[in-house]
Amino acid sequence: MVRLPGRPVTRPPRPFGYPRAPHSPPPGDRGAGGSRPGVLRAAVTGRSVAGQVFVLQVVIVLLLVVSAVVAQVLQVRHDSDTEASNRSLAVAQTFANAPGTAAALRSADPTAVLQPRTEAARKATGVDFIVVMNTDGVRYTHPQPGRIGQKFVGTIAPAVAGGTVTEHITGTIGPLVQVVVPVKDTGGQVVGLVAAGITTAHVGGAADQQLPLLLAAAAAALALATAGTALVSRRLLRQTHGLGPYEMTRMYEHHDAVLHAVREGVLIVGGDGRLLLANDEAHRLLDLPADAEQRHVLELGLDDETAGLLASGRVATDEVHLVKDRLLAVNQRPTDLRGGPPGSVTTLRDSTELRALSGRAEVARERLNMLYEAGVGIGTSLDVTRTAAELAELAVPRLADFATVDLFDAVLGGEEPRPGTALRRTACVGIRKETPLYPLGERIRFVTTSPQARALTTGQSVVVPRLRDEPGWRAQDLERTDQVLAFGIHSLITVPLRAGALVLGVANFWRAEKPQPFDAEELALAEELAARAAVSIDNARRYTREHSMAVTLQRSLLPRTLPEQDALDLAYRYLPAQSGVGGDWFDVLPLSGARVALVVGDVVGHGLHAAATMGRLRTAVHNFSSLDLPPDELLSLLDELVGRLDQDDETSVTGASVVTGATCLYAIYDPVSRLCTMARAGHPPPALVRPEGGVEFLDVPAGPPLGLGGLPFETAELELPEDSRLVLYTDGLVEDRERDIDEGLGLLRDALLRTPGASPEDTCRTVLDRLPARPSDDVALIVARTRVLGDDRVAQWQVPSDPAAVSEVRDSVTRRLADWGLDELAFTTELILSELVTNAIRYGRPPIGVRLLRERTLICEVSDRSTTSPHLRYAASTDEGGRGLFLVAQLAGRWGTRYTPNGKVIWAEQPLP
């Protein structure tokens, strides 16, 4: 309620003495029932507000009716044209493409064939005409037979060219749409034309049916508008007690501001700074005295800032002023902008609760933002330490000034935590670097009274509002806790990191800069952050455990040291991938005759399955190599093995298809002949660095990967010069997501060219220097420099197929052993050679050869053309033979048989003295 100075509060019978409006009837002029006569007449004359509304409604209704009728007519006309065009086009194309139409046009009398068809089609489809004509436009058919043979009226040139013509014309039967389409023979040549048309009147007619409905609706709308206007006018006259528009306007101008500003304080200040008007809300907000009107604003007891604003009359927009315990938003505008009296109008709005609510909403928004960032920012890697650091980094400084994470040592190793053991500080983040808190990496054993120990025992969070008053926390380390308090840290939240039933450690949130302690809402936020981090830490722990198991398995399956041999000078490297465990492997296998086999392979995929498969394949290669098989035969056996592994996996794994697949390169080097025999199954080709410095990738036939089956493998054989470097590798060395294998091979070639004459160890280092520290795929690399077993360490003889020649062989061997300084082995060597040569003469086929090799062992070899393999057995007491191989096995360290393209070789090794 606005209090105007000098005005009574009670309302007079005629407000403010305003005269009656000229058009208002006298009060006594009323009809029966208290209604005034001529209300309807006044309503429709247009002089009253209701009458003006009535006129406006009539105009709107008429405009809508006219618009609807015009739109309906236009829409019907458009629909008629569209329907006529579509129907004519469909009929014409259907008839033109009908079987026999093109043939009829080429017949002797097209009219006789086509006229009955066109009439039947016209009656069936409802079009007005179907005309078939030749390419010159001469009609063959027409609904009126008299017009057959005449020229068609319309455009036909586009149709003759193979197109379609649609025309809107006015013919003898009225406005119509006609379509002309070509008739093509099987070769695509236009042999005639078909025209179909229909008058638009035959597809229209909806407007005539809808027009009466529109007019009836318009009449009803006018009737309702008239009745409604009369009722509104009568009600307005009754409720305003006869006040006319002029009186109502004057009343609205004086009271509208007050009536609609009851929720805001309103002040009107004159040009001299005196308060002219103040509503009740302004009195309440500013605590104005009862006689505030007509007093100067500087005398109302307001604060200097607010009083100065009211007295200045300047423009103000949402200025916030602290008046006693309220925050008021002040808006002020001058009243003389448009010729009004000097002064200003000021509105006041209490924003105290709004500010508090806004502050709480901002805090809630910030916390929701933290939870969102925790969802996307914690657990970005499967690393326990990094995940703990992400939790601490997120909490500082928005929740706490310092944050630490302590985890059990077993968790860091991927194992399940063991309660009662010490914890290790895994993360420590703060607003300042130097703190008296336990440093990163410190092993901590919390006393039972500490908040951390209570949280670990109960699984519940612990809040310590004031650390100074917490004796249980201070008992942990009196000297350190005194330093923490002196540093300014005064409040603590300890939250256990729980993942299901496991407690992995605790997260500690410390406060130093903010004077107030942690509250319940901050505790809930800390628990939510810790819960999300605990899940990620547990996932990282599980991954660490599985990864450690896989790495341990893989390391145990790979060769730990290379075997001793004199054929090759070797160096190797194995780099695991960034994530997961791969199936790359390599091996060096000494063979008989001082030969050495090199193997490099790669199992498809990563993880325990790949590592286990790699171990099985490596074991199989070991077993197959003991048979001294050629490389192609060994790969064929491996291929069959991988196929069986795939079948076993598919039958044992329900609902999954586990395909192993692998690549392999197998090479055998003979230091005596300097021949290198190799075959590969889907593996990258080996590189050869020649002694003079040239680099080439050997042209080894590329067989299919292991496991595909059905295709043979081919062997390549080449002679390697002494001091050549043979480089074998897996695809992780030359191929990754950022480059293809051709680019990788080029980089490998460049790296090898920079190492002329380098040792295998230096070559490995140079090649791997260009790779990242943790490649995306496993890398296995072997560099082998060839050596040659010279003539001074090799002796060989041809033996006639005569038992008497055995003694000559023994004598020759004895002399050569004396030259080599191996007299101690002469006796056993004679026995071994005697048995082997005698067996070759007796059971084998010539030619028979004997070869001695002095390497790390003394190797005796006897060769012949027979493929019959001797077997070790126990001879019966009545047997005359069968004891020779048993004697050889007892005297030699190792013995065996290998097959060659021309026969076999039986060999025996004796350790050198």
Side-chain angles (χ1 to χ4, degrees), residues 48 50 54 92 173 175 190 223 233 277 321 428 440 460 526 590 622 674 679 715 719 776 784 841:
S48 65
F54 171 73
I173 57 176
V190 177
S233 178
L277 182 144
H321 290 258
C428 183
L440 194 66
Q460 303 295 324
H622 270 267
R674 294 186 290 111
T715 298
E719 184 175 334
S776 59
I841 294 173

Side-chain angles (χ1 to χ4, degrees), residues 21 23-24 39-58 225-226 228-237 240 243-249:
H23 63 275
S24 301
V39 171
L40 181 59
R41 183 179 65 254
V44 300
T45 57
R47 292 179 296 173
S48 65
V49 175
Q52 295 172 359
V53 172
F54 171 73
V55 174
L56 180 61
Q57 288 178 339
V58 171
T226 303
T229 303
L231 292 175
V232 171
S233 178
R234 179 179 178 181
R235 189 182 182 100
L236 285 174
L237 291 173
T240 58
L243 291 177
Y246 180 74
E247 294 171 318
M248 294 298 297
T249 302

Side-chain angles (χ1 to χ4, degrees), residues 831-832 835-836 883-893 895 908:
L831 290 178
I832 292 172
E835 295 296 333
L836 295 180
R883 298 176 179 81
L885 286 180
F886 186 82
L887 180 62
V888 171
Q890 296 298 316
L891 297 176
W895 75 279

Side-chain angles (χ1 to χ4, degrees), residues 145-215:
R147 297 188 180 184
I148 296 175
Q150 297 179 5
K151 292 283 287 187
F152 177 78
V153 180
T155 304
I156 63 172
V160 173
T164 301
V165 180
T166 302
E167 292 181 299
H168 295 74
I169 64 175
T170 302
T172 57
I173 57 176
L176 57 84
V177 178
Q178 66 179 14
V179 177
V180 183
V181 299
V183 178
K184 299 180 180 180
D185 58 9
T186 56
Q189 181 179 0
V190 177
V191 298
L193 307 174
V194 175
I198 187 172
T199 58
T200 55
H202 289 172
V203 292
D208 297 337
Q209 300 174 3
Q210 298 176 359
L211 186 59
L213 180 60
L214 289 174
L215 295 178

